[in-house]
């Protein structure tokens, strides 16, 4: 009697696969071989598709607003994936979605009337609430509700992450005035964040599995090199934080 088995090899995790033993072996890998007999066992590994998730965060202006919002994530053909009632600064958490295009929508809940607010949809979502994700990606969308009649219209500030090379695998925590979007990938953005008129500051810290000492960092766009930016009521601005991996040539300046 013998038993066949396997373990993970270099750069491989068996948790990413389903495993079936078959052929002349039983499902547990056992097999009996007699004299002059040849038997063949097969171990089949089928890769588990990577999980694709979407998180929707609710932000209100002013911050202490008591609104309630029913936020839904739908497939592109309108089938519901997830629905939840959120208060200001609530989040759906990471909701598993199919790769492709999803739609984020909201309506008022518990007596809240959306006509009392100006709405801004951003992050990885377009302004119409649609977001397209590939297998294994983790999308982050933000819905900002600014209550009408509560002072000057808020400004909108977006922080875009640029990497050299563009496909660098780093993850970065982007912060606007203490509001932090965690583990933002290269080529993605945080915001738009609704902020009051005045001066604001953007910054970053290292995300999961990333060390900022591996990069040179430059802040630009509408922000000063120290990350500061002054916005008027209703103004829309985009700041960039560029990380060039050590040993990589910096990007060419625009003409």
């Amino acid at each position: 009697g013998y038993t066949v088995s396997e373990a993970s090899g270099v750069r491989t995790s068996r948790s990413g696969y389903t495993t079936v033993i078959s052929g002349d072996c039983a499902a547990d890998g056992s097999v009996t071989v007699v004299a002059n007999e040849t038997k063949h066992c097969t171990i089949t590994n089928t890769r588990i598709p990577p999980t694709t998730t979407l998180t929707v965060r609710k932000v209100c202006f002013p911050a202490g607003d008591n609104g309630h919002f029913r936020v839904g994530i739908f497939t592109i053909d309108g089938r519901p994936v997830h629905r939840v009632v959120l208060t200001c600064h609530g989040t759906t958490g990471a909701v598993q979605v199919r790769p492709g295009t999803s739609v984020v929508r909201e309506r008022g809940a518990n007596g809240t009337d959306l006509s009392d607010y100006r709405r801004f949809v951003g992050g990885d979502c377009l302004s119409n609430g649609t977001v397209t994700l590939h297998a294994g990606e983790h999308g982050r969308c933000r819905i900002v509700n600014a209550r009408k009649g509560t002072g000057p219209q808020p400004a909108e500030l977006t922080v875009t992450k640029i990497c050299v090379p563009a496909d660098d695998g780093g993850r970065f925590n982007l912060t606007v005035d203490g509001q932090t979007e965690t583990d933002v990938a290269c080529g993605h953005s945080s915001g738009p964040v609704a902020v009051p008129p005045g001066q604001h500051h953007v910054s970053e810290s290292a995300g999961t599995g990333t060390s900022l000492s591996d990069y040179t960092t430059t802040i630009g766009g509408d922000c000063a090199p120290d990350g500061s930016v002054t916005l008027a009521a209703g103004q829309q601005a985009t700041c960039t934080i560029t990380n060039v991996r050590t040993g990589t040539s910096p990007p060419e300046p625009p003409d």
Side-chain angles (χ1 to χ4, degrees):
Y2 296 89
T3 300
V4 303
S5 62
E6 70 172 359
S8 299
V10 176
R11 296 186 298 276
T12 301
S13 172
R14 293 181 69 248
S15 63
Y17 301 84
T18 59
T19 303
V20 176
I21 300 177
S22 60
D24 292 324
C25 275
D28 63 357
S30 61
V31 61
T32 300
V33 184
V34 300
N36 297 318
E37 187 177 26
T38 300
K39 289 193 173 181
H40 299 272
C41 296
T42 302
I43 302 179
T44 302
N45 298 85
T46 302
R47 183 174 288 278
I48 300 171
T51 301
T52 306
T53 62
L54 176 61
T55 299
V56 182
R57 179 181 297 178
K58 165 62 58 183
V59 177
C60 295
F61 188 90
D65 189 84
N66 62 357
H68 290 71
F69 309 88
R70 185 175 297 279
V71 175
I73 299 174
F74 299 83
T75 62
I76 191 63
D77 56 2
R79 289 177 294 172
V81 176
H82 183 78
R83 290 172 175 157
V84 64
V85 174
L86 299 179
T87 56
C88 295
H89 303 291
T91 177
T92 61
V95 177
Q96 186 170 344
V97 297
R98 291 184 178 180
T101 300
S102 300
V103 181
V104 174
R105 300 172 183 159
E106 75 166 354
R107 57 186 176 88
N110 301 338
T112 296
D113 188 343
L114 284 185
S115 66
D116 294 334
Y117 298 84
R118 294 184 298 270
R119 298 174 60 246
F120 310 91
V121 181
D124 291 325
C125 276
L126 300 179
S127 59
N128 63 1
T130 60
V131 56
T132 301
L133 300 172
H134 298 100
E137 286 191 321
H138 306 285
R140 298 175 177 86
C141 296
R142 179 184 281 109
I143 304 177
V144 178
N145 296 76
R147 186 176 285 274
K148 298 175 182 177
T150 56
Q153 181 179 351
E156 296 178 62
L157 181 57
T158 300
V159 182
T160 299
K161 166 55 55 186
I162 300 173
C163 297
V164 179
D167 60 353
D168 187 86
R171 294 292 185 269
F172 306 86
N173 304 325
L174 305 183
T175 299
V176 176
D177 294 343
Q179 299 184 51
T180 300
E181 189 82 35
T182 60
D183 286 342
V184 177
C186 297
H188 289 233
S189 298
S190 173
V193 178
V195 294
Q199 188 175 63
H200 303 278
H201 185 265
V202 306
S203 61
E204 74 171 357
S205 59
T208 302
T210 300
S211 173
L212 290 184
S213 64
D214 294 332
Y215 303 86
T216 57
T217 303
T218 304
I219 299 179
D222 293 320
C223 274
D226 64 355
S228 62
V229 59
T230 301
L231 302 176
Q235 184 178 355
Q236 297 177 333
T238 299
C239 297
T240 59
I241 302 181
T242 302
N243 296 79
V244 179
R245 185 172 283 276
T246 303
T248 306
S249 299
E252 293 292 332
D255 294 334

